[in-house]
Amino acid sequence: MPRQPAPVPAPAPAPRSRRGLRVAAAVLLGGALLATAVPAARADHVPEEDFGAVPPAEGYTVTSVSQVSLGVQHLVLERGSGPVVAHVARIRPEVGVRVRAVLSNDLVAGDGTRRETTSSMCRRTSCALAVNADYFDRDGRPEGPFVSDGELITTPEDGTVPLMFDAAGRPIMDHLPWSVSLAAAGRQLSLDAVNRAPADGEITLFTPRYGPSTDTPEDTLELVLDLGQPGPDTPPGGTPVRIRELRTGGDAGYATTQAVLAARGPEAAATVQGLYAAAAGGQGGDGLMVVDTGGIVEAVGGRPGLLLGGRYLFWPDNPAEQVQTPAPRTLVGWTADGTMLWVAVDGRRPGHSSGVTLPEATQLLVSLGAVEGINLDGGGSTTFVVGGGVQNRPSDSAGERPVSNALVVLPPSVASQRLAGQTRFDTAVVASRQLYPNGAPVAVLASGENFPDALAGAVLAARAGGPLLLIRRDEVPGIVASELRRLGVRQIALLGGLAAISQKVESELTFVLPGGVVRISGPDRYSTSAFVSSAAFPGGSQVAYLATGRTFPDALAASAGAAGQPGPVLLVDGDRPADAVVAELGRLGASRLVVVGGEGAVPQALVDRVAGGRAVERIAGADRYETAGRVTERFGPMVPQAVVATGQAFPDALSGASVAARAGLPLLLVPGTCVGSAAMAEADRRGTQQLFLMGGTAALGSGVERLVPCP
């Protein structure tokens, strides 16, 4: 079954306080930032002091918009004064995207050389988008709390307010409600920290996520625990443990199946010694460790909090250098409806971007519609990654800086079905079986060795109620012959002349189906398209599509458009159309012409020759993929399914056009290994929940199936 998108939770009502006021914010509209009013969001963390309302930033314009994944949009903003360049991700969690906090090399400890870049973390998690996250010390340890996929990896040292996400993917700025307890040998311990050196009087836990040893000082007493596998009766967050051995001297080494309790100070050491003695003294060495994150699934540290209910969370007039100095910034904010905003502001790049102060960063979030927001690590760490590739310009001269952790967006799961065979002929048969499980009265046959005659055939096949099957010039492949018998066709239409389908093939088919074989062809591909139009629309059509016959992508896109608003696809070339095309336009009585492709494909001089007072609309993009996306946006039916085909080769795409035309689905063209912005935007706009992939992994790789964005 197609995956249903999660409903958007209604925002909780705000209590009677300044948080319930309506505040000035802004939304993107028409490529500019325009002020509007939005209700303030509810938050559990309320500052003791009111630092005032945040005015929206001014002077920014949107210079680029692209769709990264379903629910994830990438915008580039620029401000002339400064200048300032900001990369912004708009993330709609209700469509099923998932936010994950990713730890550098999956280890807390590091000497600087073991840190990982944000782009590397994005690639190894197959993310759609990523930004750097927490501050880190010189050894690469994150300074704040860190939770990944429900696992508590580090705890806060000073009660900081981190950025967190619950199981529904909702962002939260509040204290992390964590606890770790250990019950063993008849005793119960509550631990003080996770994966950091204990302070005097503390007992902390080191897990396999820290590293091969604890790095603790010599005056640390450490108890090694063996970790077991949770069973069906183990409580949530619980792990069975066995007390293994007691060590002195600090820096205990331990295996990936072990953990360590580290104690400093006489009282803490006595507690750990007592636990070990009780276990060794016959009370039993088995126990249970329970970790509770209070429903928080992901969390990263950051500072300071910037925005709550549209008001500052810090003193914006503070003259401190770290507040008032323009710098690269990494920011996360969210709107009243839960839409997240991840922002990377470039800085320290003269002539490109000077960066922003913390007040300016907060104002930028408000301009984007945010009512809450927080600052993450900035400076040389600020990195904005799409599909594994860095999009911004990090300020370090060496390029992207290795960091401690990152926030990544994983694309939503979309149901997919491959319509694929071993060969192009097999794939067309698989599509036929999908569309016509109970047979069909007619089949359209076209050359699978070249594309021109089949370009107009998808619309004919759909209107005739039968499949488009591909054959060789001198042979009907066995699998195609079997499919014709299964379908029980009473008529076969051959597209193209003898150079495309030989007389031998026509004779063999006529012998099997006497009187049921008709050839539709002209002296060239252009005339053939006109004759196909006549067969498909004998009563005329109000709209006709014009596309070049030199290449296949635009005509295939037109075929998909013709599924949404029926009309023939007529092929043209150069400045003068074929006489048969001109005659067919007259016969159709079409009042509208839709030209698919730019002037390099279909010259305006040709359009002027055939317009004849008809309304003309040209649909064109920067490349074949954008053109196809615009056709689908303009004419494609608004359904949550789509056919996906490669724009690199024609055979599977021909079958895809046939499926799209018959099933009334949009056709998305992609490069083959990834999904381009135009196709992604269309899939996002129509809330796509299921994809039909035309061809095997050689035609459409796993990156298409997983909706991996193209670099």
Side-chain angles (χ1 to χ4, degrees):
M1 295 291 292
R3 190 181 190 282
Q4 297 297 321
V8 181
R16 287 188 177 181
S17 70
R18 68 173 179 78
R19 290 176 289 154
L21 299 175
R22 294 178 67 84
V23 295
V27 294
L28 291 165
L29 182 63
L33 295 168
L34 302 178
T36 186
V38 299
R42 184 183 67 84
D44 296 322
H45 172 64
V46 182
E48 295 181 358
E49 184 175 355
D50 185 346
F51 293 110
V54 182
E58 297 180 352
Y60 285 93
T61 58
V62 181
T63 60
S64 174
V65 179
S66 60
Q67 194 74 33
V68 170
S69 176
L70 302 189
V72 184
Q73 194 178 53
H74 173 204
L75 304 92
V76 179
L77 275 58
E78 295 186 14
R79 190 186 73 189
S81 60
V84 176
V85 175
H87 291 260
V88 178
R90 283 185 173 274
I91 304 165
R92 296 185 292 111
E94 74 272 14
V95 303
V97 297
R98 183 184 170 195
V99 174
R100 275 201 61 197
V102 181
L103 185 63
S104 178
N105 289 312
D106 287 330
L107 290 175
V108 173
D111 58 5
T113 62
R114 292 204 295 258
R115 293 200 306 269
E116 190 178 6
T117 62
T118 302
S119 61
S120 174
M121 285 183 266
C122 182
R123 287 190 293 270
R124 69 178 172 86
T125 56
S126 299
C127 90
L129 184 139
V131 295
N132 64 294
D134 198 3
Y135 295 87
F136 50 91
D137 63 22
R138 67 179 59 190
D139 291 326
R141 301 178 185 90
E143 291 190 357
F146 189 82
V147 179
S148 179
D149 201 18
E151 179 184 357
L152 179 61
I153 297 176
T154 63
T155 50
E157 293 189 41
D158 54 3
T160 56
V161 179
L163 172 63
M164 308 179 294
F165 300 88
D166 63 15
R170 290 182 290 249
I172 302 166
M173 187 169 50
D174 204 347
H175 299 288
L176 177 65
W178 71 275
S179 67
V180 179
S181 63
L182 175 65
R187 304 192 177 201
Q188 182 89 20
L189 276 71
S190 293
L191 305 183
D192 297 298
V194 176
N195 285 329
R196 68 169 173 83
D200 187 54
E202 287 186 337
I203 302 173
T204 67
L205 172 71
F206 287 89
T207 73
R209 287 288 200 145
Y210 183 80
S213 65
T214 60
D215 295 326
T216 53
E218 292 182 359
D219 61 347
T220 307
L221 181 70
E222 298 181 315
L223 182 64
V224 180
L225 309 174
D226 289 339
L227 302 177
Q229 292 296 322
D233 298 327
T234 304
T239 302
V241 299
R242 172 171 282 275
I243 295 174
R244 172 58 59 189
E245 61 179 306
L246 191 67
R247 300 179 184 175
T248 59
D251 197 18
Y254 61 108
T256 57
T257 57
Q258 294 178 321
V260 175
L261 294 186
R264 292 187 70 193
E267 184 177 349
T271 299
V272 170
Q273 285 176 324
L275 176 64
Y276 179 72
Q283 296 292 327
D286 292 333
L288 179 69
M289 183 167 61
V290 177
V291 180
D292 184 10
T293 61
I296 297 302
V297 179
E298 314 288 336
V300 297
R303 65 178 188 274
L306 299 176
L307 177 68
L308 177 66
R311 306 183 79 82
Y312 286 111
L313 275 175
F314 65 100
W315 180 27
D317 295 328
N318 186 336
E321 181 179 359
Q322 61 266 33
V323 175
Q324 302 299 341
T325 300
R329 308 281 181 184
T330 302
L331 319 166
V332 172
W334 49 99
T335 66
D337 67 0
T339 298
M340 286 183 286
L341 301 161
W342 294 9
V343 182
V345 181
D346 284 349
R348 301 173 186 162
R349 289 278 188 176
H352 169 66
S353 182
S354 60
V356 292
T357 66
L358 278 181
E360 289 174 331
T362 311
Q363 294 160 16
L364 176 56
L365 284 178
V366 167
S367 297
L368 293 165
V371 293
E372 294 189 41
I374 190 171
N375 181 75
L376 302 182
D377 191 13
S381 297
T382 291
T383 312
F384 191 98
V385 175
V386 172
V390 178
Q391 303 299 303
N392 71 317
R393 294 181 62 182
S395 63
D396 278 7
S397 59
E400 185 182 4
R401 173 186 293 182
V403 294
S404 172
N405 50 43
L407 284 174
V408 305
V409 178
L410 304 181
S413 297
V414 176
S416 63
Q417 179 180 350
R418 282 192 184 270
L419 304 181
Q422 294 296 317
T423 69
R424 62 190 65 183
F425 310 104
D426 300 342
T427 295
V429 168
V430 171
S432 172
R433 292 171 181 168
Q434 176 78 18
L435 291 172
Y436 303 97
N438 300 317
V442 64
V444 177
L445 273 57
S447 171
E449 298 169 318
N450 206 351
F451 62 82
D453 296 327
L455 286 177
V459 178
L460 172 63
R463 291 183 65 81
L468 174 66
L469 299 172
L470 304 180
I471 62 175
R472 294 187 175 91
R473 178 185 182 277
D474 295 315
E475 178 193 15
V476 177
I479 191 170
V480 177
S482 296
E483 179 63 6
L484 290 172
R485 289 192 294 271
R486 186 196 69 81
L487 290 166
V489 298
R490 298 187 298 274
Q491 188 174 35
I492 295 174
L494 304 179
L495 301 187
L498 297 179
I501 300 176
S502 69
Q503 184 60 52
K504 170 178 173 290
V505 167
E506 182 178 354
S507 299
E508 290 174 352
L509 291 171
T510 302
F511 179 79
V512 175
L513 195 65
V517 179
V518 59
R519 185 187 290 267
I520 304 175
S521 68
D524 53 37
R525 63 189 67 180
Y526 312 105
S527 299
T528 296
S529 72
F531 297 142
V532 170
S533 167
S534 180
F537 296 88
S541 172
Q542 289 300 305
V543 61
Y545 298 81
L546 297 184
T548 179
R550 286 183 174 269
T551 57
F552 66 89
D554 290 347
L556 286 178
S559 296
Q565 186 164 341
V569 178
L570 299 172
L571 303 182
V572 295
D573 182 39
D575 292 342
R576 291 184 176 275
D579 292 342
V581 169
V582 175
E584 178 61 10
L585 283 172
R587 187 200 66 81
L588 287 167
S591 59
R592 294 179 55 226
L593 290 180
V594 178
V595 181
V596 180
E599 291 195 35
V602 182
Q604 187 59 40
L606 181 144
V607 176
D608 294 339
R609 289 178 186 275
V610 300
R614 301 178 180 92
V616 176
E617 177 181 4
R618 185 186 289 272
I619 302 177
D623 55 29
R624 62 186 63 185
Y625 307 109
E626 188 174 329
T627 296
R630 291 185 178 181
V631 171
T632 301
E633 178 184 1
R634 178 68 177 82
F635 294 106
M638 200 65 179
V639 293
Q641 297 171 311
V643 178
V644 182
T646 176
Q648 304 283 60
F650 70 87
D652 293 338
L654 287 173
S655 298
S658 176
V659 172
R662 175 60 180 175
L665 300 178
L667 175 66
L668 305 178
L669 294 184
V670 299
T673 58
C674 56
V675 180
S677 178
M680 198 81 78
E682 264 308 283
D684 180 76
R685 187 180 71 89
R686 58 186 66 252
T688 302
Q689 298 174 351
Q690 186 173 26
L691 300 174
F692 295 96
L693 307 178
M694 301 304 306
T697 55
L700 296 175
S702 61
V704 176
E705 194 169 347
R706 292 183 287 108
L707 295 176
V708 174
C710 295

